[in-house]
Amino acid sequence: MEIDGWVIGMREGVIVLIALVALYIVVVVLRMLGLRRQPPKTEAAAATELAPLSPAAVASAAPVRELAPLDMPEPPPSAETRQEQATRATAEEFERQRLEREVFQLRDEVDALRGELAALRQDMQQELAHLRAAQAISPIYGEAAQMAAAGYDPAAIAERCGIARAEAELMVALVKNQER
């Protein structure tokens, strides 16, 4: 675009828009600082500003005295207000009791879950101990330990694994001891 011999492209247009926005921001900030510096106006000063008095009215006006606020007791609440307050208090009490019951129930459920988790952890540790024990011994005795855990008698274990009967009885005793 060309205006009076000036070539204005997209880039120059964007720069001009940015400059205008920056100028607007500076003007707004200056106005805000000006408002901040002004002392707060009282209601009387604001009313005077809104409706200026004529010179004759100012000359004839008597000095204005400030009236002290009256300390009047609040009127007693009406029957409907008391009823609403009682209803609201009852509803809040029921809600509080419901929430307390729910909290107690949740605590019981958490305790039960903790117990189950502890039992599962103990079972897992026992299974892990069995696996480690089976891996730490020779394959023959590992098979003998598995058969003993399955409930085979020592004679069947000795015949199947090719070990002495005393060794098979020892494996059965070890497995039973680990199960306890």
Side-chain angles (χ1 to χ4, degrees), residues 66 117 164:
E66 294 230 4
L117 182 63

Side-chain angles (χ1 to χ4, degrees), residues 157-175:
I157 294 172
E159 185 179 325
R160 166 84 182 179
C161 297
I163 58 175
R165 184 176 171 104
E167 290 175 321
E169 289 175 355
L170 178 63
M171 289 305 296
V172 170
L174 286 173
V175 168

Side-chain angles (χ1 to χ4, degrees), residues 43-66:
E43 288 181 27
T48 307
E49 234 179 57
L50 293 177
L53 297 174
S54 65
V58 172
S60 66
V64 178
R65 293 185 321 197
E66 294 230 4

Side-chain angles (χ1 to χ4, degrees), residues 32-44:
M32 289 174 58
L33 289 175
L35 289 175
R36 191 176 191 189
R37 289 186 189 136
Q38 291 178 355
K41 297 178 183 176
T42 61
E43 288 181 27

Side-chain angles (χ1 to χ4, degrees), residues 104-123:
F104 289 135
Q105 180 182 2
L106 289 172
R107 285 182 180 165
D108 289 341
E109 290 175 4
V110 166
D111 289 341
L113 289 173
R114 284 183 180 158
E116 290 175 12
L117 182 63
L120 288 173
R121 183 179 293 133
Q122 186 177 9
D123 290 344

